[in-house]
């Protein structure tokens, strides 16, 4: 495995850097979880905010991110302030329990999706902008790569994945192209897949969006089971977090943001409250008891990056931060 730390190739600019840690309201002595360590930007700020007596537990399913952080945070790890966990954040409940911290966590942040390292490093196979093996796994030690999926799945299943996770209107046509192509030669590189789509799907070169964009997004979400991971986190976070603690999630596309918005809304009990007869004389406590409110949304609208942040880091442009304080 390449040494990304020594060659300084692990690059990522944290999105909504201050805002996403501030919203957790961290204090010295708190115990925070960073579900998505990546380049360690948010983890570093969390460590600063909870010092000198607090702790941070940071997850990443990508061993390269973990190895990079082992070097970057060697002192904090040695002093017990930082614990790194190489696991998917869908396992947050089990992992935090194993550390004896269940119910003691005062804030969880998840900055979901891929890092700039994933997109910029051709060998990871995430981007049609760089030619590399069609892999797309965040955890290269397990699961099937995108090229294995495309080599073995039925055409119907490929079309379904491209439609469901990429919302690609030409999903069936693209799935057929892939299956016709694999009879001659399996698709093994990002360039082969991108060129195949670009050569057959009508697109205006002047348009800013490459015609393979949605297919690449879909395959990445499918290969890494990203939406199930998010659903699991949303289900388990209320048991992991101490009363009064905060769950904050940064998402980057509408499929994820919809899940976050609906789950947080449900935790407030609002969904069911709306179905209660309006003329019942109920106190707020009674309503909360009846609707099992588990939390309060911190801001009614998602926080988004400023124009300046987007100018400096265009990859931040679709980020949305939502947060809920749990009871
Ligand atoms: C957008 S980056 C996070 C960047 C980080 N907040 C920073 O400041 O550098 C997302 C990271 O989360 C990891 N990741 C994505 N989904 C994951 C999951 N389900 N479980 C664990 N890690 C995940 C990716 O491997 C990647 O390193």
């Amino acid at each position: 495995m390449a040494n990304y730390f020594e060659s300084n190739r692990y690059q990522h600019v944290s999105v909504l850097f201050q805002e996403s840690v501030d919203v957790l309201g961290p204090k010295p002595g708190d115990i925070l979880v960073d579900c998505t360590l990546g380049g360690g930007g948010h983890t570093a700020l969390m460590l600063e905010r909870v010092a000198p007596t607090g702790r941070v537990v940071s997850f990443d399913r990508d061993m390269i991110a973990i190895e990079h952080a082992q070097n970057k945070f060697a002192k904090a790890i040695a002093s017990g302030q930082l614990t790194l966990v190489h696991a998917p954040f869908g396992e947050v409940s089990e992992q935090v329990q194993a550390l004896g911290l269940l119910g003691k966590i005062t804030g969880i942040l998840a900055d979901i999706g891929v890092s700039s390292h994933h997109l910029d490093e051709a060998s990871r196979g995430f981007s049609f902008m760089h030619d590399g093996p069609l892999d797309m796994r965040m955890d290269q030690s397990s699961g099937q790569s995108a090229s294995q999926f495309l080599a073995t799945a039925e055409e119907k299943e490929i079309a379904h994945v491209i439609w469901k996770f990429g919302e690609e209107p030409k999903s069936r046509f693209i799935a057929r192209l892939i299956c016709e192509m694999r009879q001659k030669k399996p698709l093994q590189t990002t360039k082969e897949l991108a060129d195949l789509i670009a050569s057959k799907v009508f697109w205006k070169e002047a348009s800013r969006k490459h015609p393979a964009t949605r297919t690449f997004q879909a395959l990445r979400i499918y290969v890494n089971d990203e939406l199930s991971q998010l659903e699991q986190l949303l289900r388990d976070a209320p048991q992991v977090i101490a009363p009064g603690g905060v769950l904050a999630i940064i998402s980057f596309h509408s499929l994820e943001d919809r899940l976050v918005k609906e789950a947080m809304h449900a935790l407030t009990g609002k969904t069911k409250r709306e179905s209660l007869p309006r003329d019942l004389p109920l106190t707020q406590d009674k309503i909360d008891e009846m609707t099992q409110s588990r939390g309060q949304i911190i801001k009614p609208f998602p926080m988004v990056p400023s124009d300046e942040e987007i100018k400096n880091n265009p990859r931040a442009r679709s980020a949305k931060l939502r947060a809920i304080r749990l009871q």
Side-chain angles (χ1 to χ4, degrees), residues 164-167 217 221 227 253-259:
K164 184 170 176 200
F165 300 127
E167 297 177 315
Q217 173 189 302
I221 292 177
L227 299 186
H253 56 74
S254 56
L255 293 170
E256 295 165 343
D257 185 53
R258 209 175 304 147
L259 283 178

Side-chain angles (χ1 to χ4, degrees), residues 72-146:
K72 177 171 175 154
F73 297 110
K75 260 168 88 176
I77 295 168
S79 67
Q81 286 167 296
L82 175 63
T83 307
L84 299 177
V85 182
H86 178 225
F89 60 64
E91 291 178 11
V92 66
S93 177
E94 297 94 302
Q95 298 287 345
V96 164
Q97 183 165 32
L99 293 169
L101 298 174
L102 201 63
K104 296 183 184 162
I105 305 298
T106 47
I108 296 184
L109 172 65
D111 169 18
I112 52 188
V114 285
S115 64
S116 292
H117 159 78
H118 290 139
L119 296 174
D120 297 339
E121 182 57 47
S123 66
R124 302 303 304 262
F126 279 94
S127 169
F128 50 80
M129 309 278 284
H130 308 283
D131 190 19
L134 191 54
D135 189 326
M136 297 198 193
R137 286 170 302 163
M138 293 181 199
D139 181 355
Q140 291 183 304
S141 66
S142 70
Q144 66 174 348
S145 66

